[in-house]
Amino acid sequence: MLKLKARVRELIARGFETEVSDGEFNELALAIHAHQAAHCAEIGRVSPTRPSDWRNIPLVPTSLFSRFRLAAFPPDNTFRVFRSSGTTASTRSAHHFDDLDLYRAASMAGARWALGEGSFDVRSLVTDDPESSLACMATWLREDLSSLATSRRLVLGSAFSFVPMIDKDARDPLPAGSVVIETGGYKGRSREISRSELHAGISRIHDVSDDRIISEYGMCELSSPLWQQVGDPRVPDERLFRSAGWTRIRIVDPETGEDAEEGLIGILDLANVHSCVGILTGDRGRLEGNEVRLLGRLPGISSKGCSLTADRTP
């Protein structure tokens, strides 16, 4: 596993937009999957024969992370477990890590691409929970991007953490050059509104232009979040999400599992060396070039993600 991690770390070091050839990705994805199938019984059961192409690697539904320990290393080597924000302990996914090196490198590479150059005074609306991958990322944003020499702020919060402020017509102006990251998700904690209405409200609260408000698409089962980028001129509901160069996206029909123009989002994430390289989300989407358009949850699939941990308002 150490050699596989080293190779993925080299890819991440090239940057979020690094071009990884199909041949290089295929070789590494198949090697990672073979290691996982050999060291995790559950993955071995769903993949009894070795695939010859990354597109044939089984996509493990994120729901199975709440039923099985999907990890390719011994339990005694567990360093951290991130859990989803399900409403009950039985529905919470658990993602086991033997170290956080690749997760930190992957998430920060994406954040730097999304935010551009420079530093910020980082403010998080996310509860400091050791089992929250989003809270962990917020800590790394503070450690890697914070500087006392700047007045620019970076505010990170879930969609529902902003809605009460919008309803109260709150005002908390931010200095010029500031950025707001919203991570989506309502979970019944507030009324749901369109992304355009949400961003308009955030813009009014914080006195920031719309192109300084971006979204991140991540989950506890994923090591490499998808990002939007500061300065995108498109209106919020038309903005797409960019995936890292060391990942691949599949859009699959939820009934047949075959590739489709519109369907469930499957993500092959090489940074998931320690768990499942291929995961199947419960979110619908469409691939447009190298970007993903989110189309909402598949009906009948329960809400999930990190936004339940973002329960504080300024």
Side-chain angles (χ1 to χ4, degrees):
M1 185 187 287
L2 291 177
K3 290 183 179 179
L4 293 174
K5 285 185 175 180
R7 291 188 62 185
V8 175
R9 192 174 292 110
E10 290 174 0
L11 294 182
I12 296 173
R14 298 182 200 169
F16 187 73
E17 291 186 289
T18 182
E19 295 289 338
V20 180
S21 70
D22 284 343
E24 185 177 16
F25 184 89
N26 196 58
E27 176 197 358
L28 194 46
L30 292 176
I32 291 172
H33 173 67
H35 174 84
Q36 293 170 348
H39 291 85
C40 178
E42 286 72 22
I43 296 177
R45 290 191 191 101
V46 300
S47 186
T49 59
R50 185 167 182 171
S52 59
D53 186 274
W54 67 265
R55 297 168 186 82
N56 300 127
I57 293 175
L59 297 174
V60 176
T62 54
S63 60
L64 294 187
F65 280 78
S66 65
R67 297 176 54 192
F68 304 104
R69 181 183 181 275
L70 300 177
F73 60 88
D76 289 346
N77 291 354
T78 301
F79 177 76
R80 182 74 65 86
V81 179
F82 290 129
R83 301 184 188 276
S84 67
S85 53
T87 55
T88 68
S90 62
T91 61
R92 296 182 68 191
S93 291
H95 193 175
H96 298 253
F97 289 77
D98 57 349
D99 66 62
L100 298 180
D101 291 350
L102 290 181
Y103 175 54
R104 179 168 188 160
S107 56
M108 290 301 97
R112 290 189 181 91
W113 172 82
L115 296 168
E117 298 295 329
S119 56
F120 296 86
D121 174 8
V122 179
R123 305 291 177 90
S124 174
L125 308 183
V126 182
T127 301
D128 189 11
D129 179 355
E131 292 188 334
S132 166
S133 58
L134 182 60
C136 190
M137 188 175 71
T139 297
W140 292 334
L141 287 170
R142 284 192 293 266
E143 292 176 351
D144 293 1
L145 301 181
S146 287
S147 171
L148 297 176
T150 183
S151 62
R152 299 194 310 166
R153 288 188 189 175
L154 173 63
V155 177
L156 171 69
S158 69
F160 83 75
S161 65
F162 293 105
V163 172
M165 292 186 284
I166 293 173
D167 290 341
K168 294 177 183 178
D169 200 23
R171 293 290 188 274
D172 180 25
L174 300 179
S178 296
V179 175
V180 177
I181 301 174
E182 58 91 358
T183 63
Y186 294 93
K187 313 291 182 57
R189 298 288 294 271
S190 73
R191 65 185 181 94
E192 296 193 19
I193 59 180
S194 70
R195 176 158 276 122
S196 289
E197 184 180 353
L198 174 66
H199 283 213
I202 293 173
S203 177
R204 187 171 61 253
I205 292 167
H206 292 302
D207 193 23
V208 293
S209 60
D210 183 73
D211 65 349
R212 307 292 293 179
I213 305 169
I214 62 173
S215 300
E216 176 256 9
Y217 176 73
M219 59 195 69
C220 87
E221 303 89 350
L222 187 66
S223 296
S224 303
L226 282 66
W227 289 89
Q228 295 176 353
Q229 191 174 37
V230 168
D232 190 330
R234 292 172 288 193
V235 298
D237 286 335
E238 291 300 318
R239 291 178 192 164
L240 309 181
F241 288 83
R242 180 68 181 266
S243 60
W246 56 88
T247 68
R248 292 291 190 272
I249 305 295
R250 286 186 60 202
I251 305 297
V252 300
D253 186 304
E255 298 295 331
T256 67
E258 299 296 324
D259 288 344
E261 290 187 8
E262 185 176 306
L264 287 179
I265 299 171
I267 303 175
L268 282 292
D269 183 2
L270 298 184
N272 268 11
V273 172
H274 50 277
S275 56
C276 299
V277 67
I279 67 170
L280 183 66
T281 76
D283 295 309
R284 296 183 302 112
R286 185 167 61 242
L287 193 59
E288 301 183 12
N290 57 5
E291 295 181 307
V292 178
R293 182 180 298 279
L294 295 185
L295 300 174
R297 298 289 290 171
L298 183 71
I301 292 183
S302 60
S303 295
K304 65 179 299 297
C306 295
S307 63
L308 277 179
T309 65
D311 57 5
R312 296 206 306 263
T313 56

